[in-house]
């Protein structure tokens, strides 16, 4: 419904013959005006297979099902070789799947740095595309995953409505389910530069209410859409459910400088930031600066510590870390 008018060609790939047949049945039942102009369904994707290059390539819940890291590496490289613009990798919200997504991102960043030294562009199909790459989401940078070597992992949640047959299969009385997932969106080209700030002053609330298209509810002027789009590439992302208390909101964010920080927003510090923080959700970008900033420190699991570090732990610390592991 969103992109159907602009999709010229669609290529679906699945190793399961049953899934291919299911996709063909769905396409047959679609109205003619809802079908892509050209559709092709394949059982596998060869590295040098022609006519498979696309502007948008999506791999959903497939990498974690591959049996080895070597096969996953080959698959990610093949997907990237067929990507003209944007590659989306989605997988389960488990620690192992999050690690796989993070390693795929590191692989693409490494391929970009190697290729950039040889040539600023590479030929894909009939086009010359940039060898540089940047992360669109969820990381606001091209640095390493800050959740590595910590008890947490980069994942998010989405509430979905279960169909009736799924409720019967899972013997569930609720048609609501919170699905956890890990993902990364990589795009060719360098990260857009942060636009220069234009000084602006607040107006009184009556004027703001009279011109809602020009001002925010608390009087701050609205920024042009083009400026917001460029700035959003540098905004931190909320990586856990915000803690909303009376008079303040606490959020863990991944910052553009590659850190996980805990930010606090209070009503007395900035009303607009506090108002937006109360409406923010897990996974959102957040444009405001906090009143207080602190590095989010996580306790490493006991098994991750070196033997020397384990010897320095007292009995209380060792007991608490063992309880954490459980």
């Amino acid at each position: 419904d969103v992109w159907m008018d602009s999709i010229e060609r669609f290529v679906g790939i699945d190793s399961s013959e049953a899934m291919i047949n299911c996709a063909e049945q769905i396409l047959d039942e679609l109205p003619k005006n809802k079908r892509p102009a050209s559709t092709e369904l394949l059982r596998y994707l060869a590295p040098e297979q022609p006519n498979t290059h696309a502007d948008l390539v999506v791999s959903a819940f497939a990498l974690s099902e591959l049996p080895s890291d070597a096969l996953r590496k080959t698959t990610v490289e093949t997907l990237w070789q067929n990507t003209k613009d944007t590659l989306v990798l989605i997988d389960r919200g488990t620690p192992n799947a999050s690690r796989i997504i993070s390693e795929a991102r590191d692989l693409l960043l490494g391929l970009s740095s190697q290729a950039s030294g040889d040539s600023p562009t590479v030929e894909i199909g009939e086009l010359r595309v940039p060898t540089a790459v940047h992360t669109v989401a969820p990381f606001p940078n091209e640095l390493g995953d800050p959740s590595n070597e910590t008890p947490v992992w980069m994942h998010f949640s989405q509430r979905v409505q279960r169909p009736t047959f799924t409720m019967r299969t899972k013997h569930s009385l609720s048609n609501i389910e919170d699905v956890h997932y890990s993902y990364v969106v990589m795009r060719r080209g360098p990260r857009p530069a942060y636009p220069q700030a234009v000084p602006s002053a607040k107006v009184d609330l009556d004027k703001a209410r009279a011109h809602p298209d020009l001002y925010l509810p608390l009087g701050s002027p609205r920024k042009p859409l083009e400026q917001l789009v460029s700035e959003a590439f540098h905004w931190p992302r909320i990586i856990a459910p915000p803690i909303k208390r009376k008079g303040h909101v606490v959020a863990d964010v991944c910052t553009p400088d590659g850190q996980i920080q805990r930010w606090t927003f209070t009503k007395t510090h900035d009303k607009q930031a506090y108002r937006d923080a109360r409406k923010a959700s897990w996974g959102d970008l957040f444009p405001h600066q906090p009143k207080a900033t602190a590095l989010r420190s996580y306790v490493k699991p006991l098994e991750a510590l070196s033997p020397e570090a384990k010897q320095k732990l007292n009995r209380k610390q060792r007991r608490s870390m063992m309880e954490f592991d459980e």
Side-chain angles (χ1 to χ4, degrees):
D1 292 341
V2 177
W3 293 326
M4 197 56 65
D5 294 338
S6 61
I7 294 179
E8 299 177 355
R9 185 173 59 90
F10 175 85
V11 179
I13 302 168
D14 200 299
S15 59
S16 171
E17 185 68 28
M19 293 302 297
I20 294 291
N21 295 335
C22 182
E24 291 176 344
Q25 182 178 354
I26 293 175
L27 287 172
D28 291 340
E29 295 179 357
L30 284 177
K32 291 185 178 180
N33 61 338
K34 296 291 185 180
R35 299 179 190 176
S38 173
T39 303
E40 186 178 6
L41 301 175
L42 307 174
R43 289 287 301 275
Y44 65 93
L45 178 62
E48 301 297 335
Q49 189 164 339
N51 301 324
T52 55
H53 306 101
D55 296 319
L56 175 64
V57 177
V58 181
S59 170
F61 304 96
L63 294 180
S64 61
E65 296 183 355
L66 299 178
S68 67
D69 289 340
L71 186 55
R72 278 189 282 268
K73 178 181 177 182
T74 303
T75 301
V76 172
E77 290 176 345
T78 303
L79 291 174
W80 187 241
Q81 290 170 3
N82 286 276
T83 302
K84 296 179 183 178
D85 188 82
T86 304
L87 172 63
V88 181
L89 303 177
I90 310 171
D91 219 302
R92 295 168 177 82
T94 62
N96 183 56
S98 177
R99 175 190 63 83
I100 291 172
I101 294 295
S102 179
E103 290 177 352
R105 172 177 176 266
D106 293 340
L107 172 63
L108 295 177
L109 292 175
L111 293 175
S112 172
S113 61
Q114 294 174 9
S116 297
D118 300 331
S119 173
T121 61
V122 64
E123 185 175 351
I124 293 185
E126 300 177 354
L127 295 177
R128 300 290 299 184
V129 297
T131 55
V133 61
H134 65 276
T135 308
V136 178
F139 303 93
N141 53 61
E142 277 65 67
L143 304 174
D145 186 347
S147 65
N148 286 340
E149 299 182 357
T150 69
V152 299
W153 61 97
M154 194 70 69
H155 69 293
F156 303 91
S157 178
Q158 177 63 51
R159 176 160 291 185
V160 298
Q161 187 172 0
R162 291 170 171 162
T164 305
F165 70 88
T166 305
M167 294 174 59
R168 293 173 179 171
T169 302
K170 295 188 174 182
H171 305 285
S172 174
L173 300 178
S174 174
N175 67 335
I176 299 298
E177 180 179 5
D178 291 326
V179 178
H180 293 261
Y181 63 95
S182 304
Y183 80 103
V184 69
V185 181
M186 307 296 291
R187 189 175 187 181
R188 292 191 179 273
R191 180 176 294 272
Y194 194 90
Q196 294 183 352
V198 178
S200 57
K202 288 187 176 181
V203 299
D204 58 80
L205 297 184
D206 292 336
K207 185 175 181 179
R209 295 191 187 100
H211 301 279
D213 55 329
L214 300 178
Y215 300 97
L216 296 172
L218 296 181
S220 300
R222 293 185 182 274
K223 297 179 179 179
L225 179 59
E226 296 78 8
Q227 181 178 349
L228 287 175
V229 170
S230 299
E231 289 183 359
F233 282 95
H234 304 269
W235 289 346
R237 187 176 298 275
I238 300 175
I239 62 169
I243 304 172
K244 301 176 182 180
R245 297 290 185 260
K246 184 177 181 180
H248 73 279
V249 178
V250 178
D252 291 346
V253 301
C254 178
T255 63
D257 57 358
Q259 294 180 336
I260 294 180
Q261 295 182 352
R262 172 156 285 189
W263 287 7
T264 303
F265 300 90
T266 62
K267 187 184 298 185
T268 57
H269 172 64
D270 188 330
K271 290 185 179 180
Q272 187 66 56
Y274 174 76
R275 178 191 178 109
D276 293 343
R278 298 229 40 115
K279 296 181 179 180
S281 302
W282 184 7
D284 286 350
L285 291 172
F286 201 75
H288 302 287
Q289 292 298 315
K291 177 181 180 181
T293 301
L295 277 177
R296 183 69 169 99
S297 59
Y298 293 99
V299 179
K300 286 189 176 182
L302 185 62
E303 60 183 11
L305 296 180
S306 64
E308 295 78 10
K310 290 181 182 179
Q311 293 178 357
K312 296 180 181 179
L313 296 176
N314 58 39
R315 183 180 301 177
K316 185 177 180 180
Q317 291 173 326
R318 184 181 295 272
R319 188 188 308 118
S320 63
M321 297 186 77
M322 290 177 63
E323 292 174 352
F324 181 87
D325 289 342
E326 294 173 0

